[in-house]
Amino acid sequence: MMKSEMPTIFLAERSPVKVTLLVLSGSSLMCVASAVDPLRAANRVAGETMFDWKTVSVDGQPAITTSGLPIAVGGRFEPSEKTDVLVLIGGFGTRDHVSPGLTAGIRQVAKAARACGGVEAGTWLLGRAGLLEGRKATTHWEDMEDFAAAFPGADVRPDRYVIDGPVFTTGGASPTFDLMLHLIRTRLGMAVALDVASVFIYDQANAATDAQPLVSLGRLDGYDPRLAQAIRLMEAHVDEPLTIAAIAKRTGVTARALEMIFRKSIGETPGAYYLRLRLNAARRLVLDTRVAMADIAARTGFSSAAAFSRAFSKTFGEAPVRLRRR
């Protein structure tokens, strides 16, 4: 912690904490719920208001989530209002729609607040406000490469969530829930945190430093564990695909055995699944970024933009350039 910083909120203390949640349109409904509902449940379990939150938007109008459902807010974001914690929740389009006035307001609040955090694309707001310089941070795995390039002064990590002094960042909805449970546990104790998790029938199976997966496998009860191992190898080598023989060898089976595992569990060959994994990653880049097609091809393991376009068109029914123009 820097000498000028206030003590972190992640401490064992039962004093109430005032939280301001700035929700931007384009956010995920699950991210908003993962930030708010654990705090609500903690108040209920504790029998008193330990977390006093207010939800705001940039203009005071309801923020529209990606599902089309509006988030009711208590007003517009006012940098002059005092708060202990500012949580920035963003999603699609957040990184491209940041005004100088908004970043200046975030900096103003961060100077007086005890903590400031970014949820999913809300991390871009922290970066644009200059609050990640010299700090460890994370964001959603889809944005990781561009995020690291945009903020070279930050130590960008693929972790689920990161706490560095008064600044915290999360990669998405589930990591945000984990972070809030961690906050509740450190401030109010393990018993309260367990009761809160039980309210949602939630089993926390990941640590903060676990890497964010491209494919969320859950617990895969009843599935061959070698399936998960093979998929993790595939997602770790999207830009430079491994051969199926190499994946089988690292998994400890023959290529034929690996094919049988995939057909039984997923209903397709490992090669078909691997291609689909890469093309889905490419489709997200086509739709959600302005990355050049040649760069998308390289990032997803295609030898050329032409080869990428052919495979993309065959799978999705139209060329990537046409999909982007919609």
Side-chain angles (χ1 to χ4, degrees):
M1 183 182 301
M2 300 178 186
K3 290 183 179 180
S4 60
E5 291 175 355
M6 299 175 69
T8 176
I9 57 169
F10 295 91
L11 294 171
E13 56 183 25
R14 292 192 67 89
S15 56
V17 175
K18 186 175 182 179
V19 181
T20 300
L21 299 115
L22 172 56
V23 183
L24 280 81
S25 288
S27 297
S28 159
L29 184 63
M30 287 189 68
C31 281
V32 178
S34 292
V36 175
D37 253 6
L39 304 183
R40 173 198 61 78
N43 287 345
R44 179 186 172 197
V45 170
E48 54 185 313
T49 303
M50 304 308 302
F51 299 98
D52 179 15
W53 73 85
K54 178 181 181 180
T55 306
V56 299
S57 66
V58 174
D59 57 5
Q61 297 300 309
I64 307 303
T65 62
T66 48
S67 61
L69 294 175
I71 299 295
V73 297
R76 68 168 64 237
F77 174 54
E78 297 288 355
S80 59
E81 287 189 9
K82 292 187 177 181
T83 189
D84 295 310
V85 187
L86 175 63
V87 183
L88 309 169
I89 305 176
F92 290 124
T94 294
R95 66 177 181 174
D96 299 319
H97 298 93
V98 181
S99 69
L102 178 58
T103 54
I106 292 170
R107 282 194 296 270
Q108 180 181 336
V109 175
K111 286 181 180 179
R114 294 182 60 185
C116 194
V119 170
E120 201 168 277
T123 54
W124 285 83
L125 294 176
L126 290 179
R128 301 287 192 218
L131 300 176
L132 298 182
E133 191 70 22
R135 296 196 184 277
K136 298 184 288 291
T138 191
T139 192
H140 192 277
W141 60 264
E142 290 181 318
D143 283 346
M144 199 75 67
E145 188 173 344
D146 292 337
F147 187 74
F151 308 112
D155 178 5
V156 180
R157 305 184 173 200
D159 300 2
R160 291 171 60 80
Y161 68 83
V162 173
I163 302 169
D164 189 342
V167 179
F168 57 88
T169 49
T170 79
S174 179
T176 299
F177 199 104
D178 290 345
L179 172 77
M180 292 304 178
L181 280 180
H182 176 66
L183 174 62
I184 294 164
R185 183 167 53 247
T186 53
R187 293 188 68 82
L188 307 180
M190 178 63 79
V192 174
L194 289 176
D195 285 346
V196 169
S198 297
V199 167
F200 300 97
I201 319 176
Y202 180 77
D203 290 320
Q204 187 171 356
N206 300 100
T209 53
D210 286 349
Q212 298 175 37
L214 274 70
V215 181
S216 294
L217 299 174
R219 296 194 177 212
L220 281 178
D221 291 338
Y223 287 86
D224 192 312
R226 293 169 294 187
L227 173 68
Q229 187 178 355
I231 291 175
R232 290 291 179 244
L233 284 168
M234 291 176 181
E235 68 179 16
H237 296 85
V238 168
D239 56 341
E240 296 182 359
L242 300 172
T243 64
I244 300 304
I247 293 173
K249 184 176 181 180
R250 295 192 189 190
T251 310
V253 297
T254 65
R256 181 175 177 79
L258 186 64
E259 181 170 339
M260 291 177 64
I261 290 169
F262 267 77
R263 286 190 180 278
K264 180 180 178 181
S265 302
I266 297 180
E268 60 185 346
T269 66
Y273 180 86
Y274 201 175
L275 177 60
R276 184 160 56 84
L277 175 69
R278 291 162 50 211
L279 284 170
N280 282 336
R283 187 172 186 271
R284 287 188 289 268
L285 289 169
V286 170
L287 289 173
D288 301 336
T289 75
R290 306 310 300 172
V291 174
M293 294 301 167
D295 292 335
I296 294 177
R299 287 192 192 186
T300 51
F302 291 92
S303 58
S304 67
F308 162 61
S309 184
R310 285 193 299 270
F312 192 99
S313 299
K314 183 177 180 180
T315 299
F316 299 115
E318 62 181 324
V321 289
R322 293 193 62 183
L323 182 63
R324 177 171 280 180
R325 289 196 193 114
R326 279 188 185 179

